[in-house]
Amino acid sequence: MLQTLPHALRVPDTLQILHECETPEVLLLHDVLAANIQAMQQRAVGQGLELWPHVKTHKCLEIARMQLHAGAAGLTASKPDEALIFLKAGLGPLLLAYPVLDPRKLDRVLKAAGPTRVLCILDSPEGAASLAAAAERHDRELEVCIKIDVGLGRCGLRPTDPALPHLARTVAELAPDNSSRHGLRLVGLLSHAGQAYGAADYQGVALVAEEERRLMLQARETVCQATQRPLPSLRLSVGSTPTVLAAPSYEGIDDIRPGNYVFLDRGALRLGLASSAEVALWVLARVVSGNKAHLIIDAGAKTLALDLGAQGSGDNDFGFGLAWQLSPNAGLEPLQVVRLSEEHGFVARPAHMDVPLGALLAVLPNHACPVANLAERFLVFGAPDGTTFWSVDARAKVR
Ligand code: PLP
């Protein structure tokens, strides 16, 4: 599909403001961001699903507030210290969708949470023991989900793994009883079909989504049988932006946890899930040097990230982004960011176009999530109070 620069980045008044920016800068188009948040919320409501957006994409309190204000049921975080930023700001409920074994990390999270609802995940007896011990230390009940591996081959148990019913029974035995207030309460099963990013096209993603749904229903039956509980008592939580956007059916699913949908990126465009008009995050960069083969821009790997697409699944000649010159008479065809060193980007020099030193480019990154994590702030264009900066509050919080 031919990608073009969105209209928002061709408006002369916008260009004038952007030309005054220092570069590199990560630009957010506020209207596009707000529309993406609304669209996903409407999709969830329309399908009777709870939306638990993943904050690892933006790591930004302002955006999490927009998501909760739009109607999200709660937030999903990855690492404990990322979760802390949102909990300390009073935002929640919060699902910590990462298997955490270290008691110090669990203590930090549960201390910051106070009365805020926190849900954790586990995929091993060791994880269950660690969470049960944390619940006991904090004298509270902890809601937990078992992670199911629906094909990514990362964390979780396969639905047919004999360890799954065994783990389900272990968790059930750690439930609070008459003598204790603390313990684990098994509330659901959770999956992330990240392999969808490696699909060839929209139809390929839809197949991954449908297979995820089938495997989750199967896992729920196994766990409910093993623990002698009724099926509806276990929630099914799925989530990745591609599968949520392309799923042919959500029958039987309760919660979705997309993250990337707020920004979208070249990965989503490659899969036919969105058009460039729906991309909210762009990297502004300037041409600072050049040679016969390349224009050299001031955004390198430390800004654009060395990501060949989420889960590293991009084609070999995919490059590191598409770039357009921000100028009223610039061409519509994107330029290719073909190489990155730490602070320099190499843009293939176009044959029929003169791009002068100092020219401002808007780069569409392959994968928006690591770009946000590398930035200290977003330049938010068109925010309700005017163009402003938002901090990337949880950047680099990887513990
Ligand atoms: N849930 C989990 C457990 C994840 O790991 C991720 C992303 O890595 C998501 C949800 C969100 O997926 P996406 O980034 O495709 O929106």
Side-chain angles (χ1 to χ4, degrees), residues 38-379:
Q38 282 306 330
M40 188 56 80
Q41 190 63 46
Q42 277 166 16
R43 177 181 291 265
V45 171
Q47 300 287 340
L49 302 163
E50 282 192 2
L51 174 57
W52 289 71
H54 207 313
V55 297
K56 55 99 202 179
T57 293
H58 54 73
K59 293 176 173 262
C60 172
L61 292 172
E62 290 286 351
I63 300 177
R65 288 193 188 101
M66 286 170 76
Q67 292 172 314
L68 289 168
H69 189 251
L75 303 175
T76 303
S78 190
K79 295 296 190 65
D81 281 358
E82 180 180 272
L84 274 189
I85 299 291
F86 296 87
L87 288 170
K88 283 184 177 167
L91 303 185
L94 190 133
L95 166 64
L96 190 57
Y98 200 89
V100 183
L101 299 176
D102 189 329
R104 295 166 297 184
K105 298 181 181 179
L106 291 171
D107 284 347
R108 285 206 291 281
V109 170
L110 294 180
K111 192 166 161 229
T116 304
R117 215 178 135 206
V118 172
L119 297 90
C120 295
I121 70 160
L122 58 96
D123 64 359
S124 65
E126 290 84 349
S130 179
L131 291 174
E136 187 174 347
R137 283 195 303 282
H138 292 263
D139 194 24
R140 65 181 281 171
E141 186 184 277
L142 207 47
E143 293 174 71
V144 295
C145 299
I146 296 178
K147 179 88 189 261
I148 304 297
D149 177 8
V150 291
L152 180 58
R154 195 170 66 181
C155 301
L157 296 176
R158 298 289 289 171
T160 49
D161 188 333
L164 178 60
H166 188 260
L167 180 61
R169 281 192 288 270
T170 303
V171 176
E173 280 159 18
L174 291 167
D177 57 26
N178 291 337
S179 63
S180 62
R181 277 177 2 110
H182 52 77
L184 303 187
R185 188 148 66 85
L186 180 60
V187 293
L189 305 179
L190 177 144
S191 63
H192 170 63
Q195 71 274 23
Y197 281 100
D201 53 21
Y202 187 98
Q203 194 47 38
V205 177
L207 289 175
V208 172
E210 190 50 14
E211 177 66 355
E212 174 179 40
R213 193 176 74 84
R214 188 186 70 75
L215 292 172
M216 288 298 273
L217 294 174
Q218 184 187 351
R220 175 157 64 184
E221 273 203 40
T222 301
V223 169
C224 286
Q225 260 175 25
T227 53
Q228 292 172 346
R229 54 191 287 170
L231 287 179
S233 65
L234 266 194
R235 293 185 78 80
L236 295 186
S237 168
V238 300
S240 80
T241 291
T243 49
V244 165
L245 290 179
S249 165
Y250 299 94
E251 187 77 43
I253 302 298
D254 300 288
D255 304 333
I256 51 171
R257 308 179 321 278
N260 182 267
Y261 75 97
V262 288
F263 296 151
L264 297 170
D265 50 28
R266 195 172 167 215
L269 268 53
R270 179 184 77 81
L271 292 168
L273 299 163
S275 75
S276 49
E278 293 162 282
V279 175
L281 182 146
W282 296 81
V283 173
L284 297 177
R286 277 199 168 79
V287 178
V288 291
S289 184
N291 51 50
K292 271 198 180 131
H294 299 117
L295 305 165
I296 302 299
I297 58 172
D298 56 3
K302 285 181 172 169
T303 302
L304 289 168
L306 280 167
D307 204 319
L308 287 171
Q311 319 291 353
S313 55
D315 308 331
N316 283 341
D317 60 354
F318 201 57
F320 296 95
L322 299 177
W324 285 265
Q325 188 183 351
L326 289 183
S327 145
N329 41 20
L332 291 179
E333 280 284 317
L335 312 177
Q336 306 280 338
V337 183
V338 290
R339 246 169 80 193
L340 298 177
S341 52
E342 285 185 50
E343 297 289 10
H344 303 78
F346 296 63
V347 177
R349 189 181 274 285
H352 311 294
M353 203 174 126
D354 184 33
V355 184
L357 277 189
L360 184 66
L361 305 187
V363 182
L364 167 64
N366 285 348
H367 187 192
C369 306
V371 174
N373 182 54
L374 290 170
E376 59 178 347
R377 65 185 188 183
F378 298 124
L379 169 64

